Amino acid sequence: MSRPISAPRGIRDLLPEDGPAWSRVEGIARDLSARYAFDRIETPLFERIELFSRGLGESSDAVEKEMFRVSGAAGSEEERAEWALRPEPTAGIVRAYLEHGMHVRPGPQRLWMIGPMFRYDRPQAGRFRQFVQWDVEVIGDPGPMVDAEIIELGHRFYAEAGVGEVVAYLNSIGDATCRPGYRDALVDYFAAHEDRLTDDSRRRLRVNPLRVLDDKDLDPELAAGAPRSLDHLCDACRAHFAAVQALLDDLGVRYEIDHRLVRGLDYYTRTTFEFYVAGRRGQQQALGGGGRYDGLVELLGGPDTPGIGFGIGIDRTVLAAAEQGVAAAADAPLLVVVGADPDALSPRLKVAAALRGAGLRVRVDGSERKLGKQLESAAKLGARYAILVDPQLSLERVILRDLKASEQREIALDEVAASVR
Ligand code: HAM
């Protein structure tokens, strides 16, 4: 026997026992996407690397450290270096938005998708190299109402998923008018305390000073004294943020201001937010996050267009719901079609097809084993009923056996559905 092959590190197989919990949570995301009037979009799993380096920023972790490069089977070095698995969906959605001229369609575009993302990060509890995000984006709406609408949507999702109390941490990081001033203030402050910074922060200070605030090893005292973006907002950004908060207050959505919430991707402007289970703030604990990206469409070659959205981690949501003991609804009862005649497979398959056509959940036993063995297997599979195809009867009639009660009766095939529901 040859050596079994194991999965790459940092990925997870979704096994049959995981299916119901995933389907439940994904079902809530799909349903809410419809209720909040979002339209579905799908973009490819891989894109040109340039889309990510330009869109998310060269200095973001997703681009600098975590890119999964994809190479063609053959081709020049240059061609091989061109692609990467998507670390997040927003850049690809904006690319598609521009490529398909969606900016000339009426109204803001409200788009959603669910799919796998890839980040070549160090695997840990809650941090995977392939993970699933539910993503929503509104492109072409300057807000602030839509900011509150999106955050309320996130809250509703977690409530319906049953992950316990969730807090949205909220900040505003300004725009092209006020960010440069804030950036300078941060550089002045941290440069004066450079000896207290980690190596990583010292590097961040040069390429992207806001991200020093994101350093988990930042000296807490230093962090507490750092300039706050809310104190540096221009009038327009300040008014926008005040309106977002007032709308959230009116909606009764729970949020807390977090002055260090700058987010890890460079495209953000103004409103930024992250969702956590109350009291569970930490690395790898964010259940979701997002914000406004008013410069991204233009950065990717389009007209000046505002945007906002979030990405919610489905893996982490499923784990959090499981911790709360939320159970998925049971599947529909299982029926197994068995046959007394070991040679007659066609009648079994026909009966199974008819029952499936009537909407039932059906397996069919194609073995030549004795009837008793087939019934035993059906019970082991957890089936509630067996349908016996009896060679003495026409195919319009079958025997319905209740495997729990060990009772059976002859019944018309087209009456089975009504009697087992
Ligand atoms: P993000 O904060 O990088 O944002 O990711 C969103 C969520 O995806 C995280 O809060 C987390 O739940 C989940 N997630 C991220 N990385 C991993 C991982 N390695 N393993 C498991 N789960 C993970 C974005 O991706 C932005 N595109 C969100 C957005 C949309 N902003 C505007 N529109």
Side-chain angles (χ1 to χ4, degrees):
M1 255 206 310
S2 56
R3 193 168 50 86
I5 298 168
S6 57
R9 229 158 66 80
I11 65 111
R12 301 190 311 153
D13 294 306
L14 196 157
L15 299 176
E17 54 272 32
D18 307 321
W22 273 77
S23 298
R24 186 183 75 84
V25 170
E26 286 174 338
I28 295 168
R30 283 174 212 282
D31 187 51
L32 284 172
S33 299
R35 279 193 265 157
Y36 281 69
F38 282 84
D39 298 316
R40 182 171 174 188
I41 188 164
E42 280 300 329
T43 62
L45 297 190
F46 65 98
E47 298 265 6
R48 286 181 191 279
I49 281 185
E50 191 196 349
L51 174 69
F52 302 125
S53 48
R54 224 201 296 170
L56 320 187
E58 290 282 4
S59 66
S60 65
D61 285 350
V63 169
E64 196 183 51
K65 303 182 192 154
E66 301 166 3
M67 203 69 104
F68 253 108
R69 284 165 192 266
V70 182
S71 56
S76 63
E77 273 301 300
E78 199 187 349
E79 205 180 324
R80 279 192 203 162
E82 219 179 350
W83 315 100
L85 296 180
R86 62 184 184 196
E88 63 95 55
T90 311
I93 289 175
V94 170
R95 194 248 332 122
Y97 169 88
L98 288 172
E99 197 161 340
H100 302 286
M102 291 166 80
H103 53 292
V104 300
R105 296 185 190 183
Q109 294 296 305
R110 297 168 67 90
L111 306 166
W112 75 276
M113 66 181 254
I114 290 187
M117 307 297 150
F118 304 85
R119 294 183 193 175
Y120 192 79
D121 202 350
R122 201 159 45 82
Q124 285 182 19
R127 186 161 75 190
F128 312 107
R129 287 181 170 168
Q130 177 178 333
F131 57 96
V132 174
Q133 267 189 17
W134 172 42
D135 182 84
V136 306
E137 308 291 353
V138 181
I139 308 178
D141 189 331
M145 193 198 73
V146 70
D147 303 38
E149 188 190 2
I150 291 273
I151 294 169
E152 190 272 338
L153 168 58
H155 253 272
R156 185 177 299 278
F157 168 75
Y158 297 118
E160 295 196 5
V163 303
E165 196 177 352
V166 166
V167 182
Y169 288 91
L170 196 61
N171 196 13
S172 172
I173 57 171
D175 65 4
T177 308
C178 49
R179 179 99 53 85
Y182 178 51
R183 207 185 128 106
D184 290 348
L186 279 178
V187 172
D188 288 349
Y189 175 78
F190 285 121
H193 299 95
E194 203 164 338
D195 51 324
R196 288 164 70 190
L197 295 180
T198 61
D199 288 347
D200 200 24
S201 271
R202 244 174 256 140
R203 201 181 46 80
R204 289 179 187 196
L205 188 57
R206 254 148 234 123
V207 289
N208 189 348
L210 264 72
R211 298 228 32 244
V212 174
L213 294 170
D214 219 13
D215 183 346
K216 64 178 185 341
D217 297 320
L218 182 64
D219 176 341
E221 213 177 288
L222 201 56
R228 296 173 164 187
S229 58
L230 296 188
D231 297 332
H232 291 259
L233 296 182
C234 57
D235 290 345
C237 285
R238 188 173 311 120
H240 183 101
F241 194 55
V244 173
Q245 290 176 82
L247 289 161
L248 289 173
D249 290 337
D250 288 347
L251 285 169
V253 169
R254 185 166 167 197
Y255 66 89
E256 282 175 29
I257 303 294
D258 178 352
H259 298 287
R260 284 180 67 182
L261 190 81
V262 293
R263 307 273 297 139
L265 308 168
D266 288 2
Y267 52 59
Y268 289 108
T269 53
R270 294 192 165 175
T271 316
T272 53
F273 56 89
E274 279 178 3
F275 296 104
Y276 289 82
V277 170
R280 292 273 297 272
R281 187 82 204 267
Q283 292 278 307
Q284 278 77 66
Q285 306 256 28
L287 290 177
R292 194 160 264 293
Y293 47 86
D294 293 344
L296 182 60
V297 176
E298 198 172 7
L299 188 68
L300 294 178
D304 179 12
T305 311
I308 185 167
F310 66 53
I312 280 181
I314 296 293
D315 306 68
R316 292 184 189 173
T317 304
V318 169
L319 290 167
E323 277 177 26
Q324 296 290 321
V326 182
D331 282 326
L334 176 68
L335 274 66
V336 179
V337 175
V338 298
D341 179 353
D343 298 325
L345 296 181
S346 167
R348 293 187 210 173
L349 207 49
K350 279 189 192 153
V351 164
L355 294 171
R356 288 162 175 162
L360 295 170
R361 185 165 165 254
V362 181
R363 274 193 184 220
V364 53
D365 190 324
S367 76
E368 296 174 1
R369 294 175 298 176
K370 292 216 164 58
L371 191 57
K373 288 279 175 214
Q374 293 182 40
L375 289 172
E376 241 173 62
S377 302
K380 275 191 197 147
L381 287 169
R384 180 82 172 82
Y385 300 98
I387 304 292
L388 275 68
V389 180
D390 187 330
Q392 314 297 328
L393 299 174
S394 81
L395 275 191
E396 276 70 57
R397 296 193 73 75
V398 292
I399 295 171
L400 173 66
R401 184 177 175 85
D402 184 326
L403 291 168
K404 249 196 209 143
S406 295
E407 286 167 7
Q408 62 183 51
R409 65 190 159 101
E410 193 186 311
I411 182 173
L413 184 58
D414 57 12
E415 281 169 16
V416 172
S419 23
V420 299
R421 279 209 175 104

